[in-house]
Amino acid sequence: MAEPVTTAENAAADVESKTRASILPREPYFREHADSLTFVGVRRVLEEELGLEKYALDPHKRFVKNYLEECLEAANDGQVSNSAEGDGGGAKFVGGVPSEKDKKESNTAGGQIMRDCPVS
């Protein structure tokens, strides 16, 4: 017999579901600005969009990273995209975690870029 699902598991599943719904329409933007984005910056924008407290997605950072990479890779393969352009611009972002130097440099400018992220 299966164990009952806890409230914490329901909450985590709900956050992940909402996060998926927020990432997918922004995939073309994330792909276009992949060289200047950080996963931290993406989480902060998603938190703001979802009406969550700052750092609320930090416990879900592995999920956010994996799902974003999955979306960008699928778009690069031509499987998912709201954009007609398939230039593969997400290679730097998808390729791995930015170095500490890259994080520091992109966090200062990246915040402004992310605020300009279109919301569908």
Side-chain angles (χ1 to χ4, degrees), residues 34-67:
D35 57 338
S36 62
L37 296 178
T38 64
F39 292 107
V40 173
V42 170
R43 286 197 312 273
R44 296 303 164 256
V45 167
L46 293 173
E47 289 163 351
E48 188 175 319
E49 169 66 22
L50 296 172
L52 300 172
E53 292 182 25
K54 192 172 183 178
Y55 310 116
L57 288 178
D58 284 3
H60 304 278
K61 64 181 159 186
R62 180 177 293 164
F63 168 78
V64 172
K65 177 182 182 265
N66 290 340
Y67 187 70

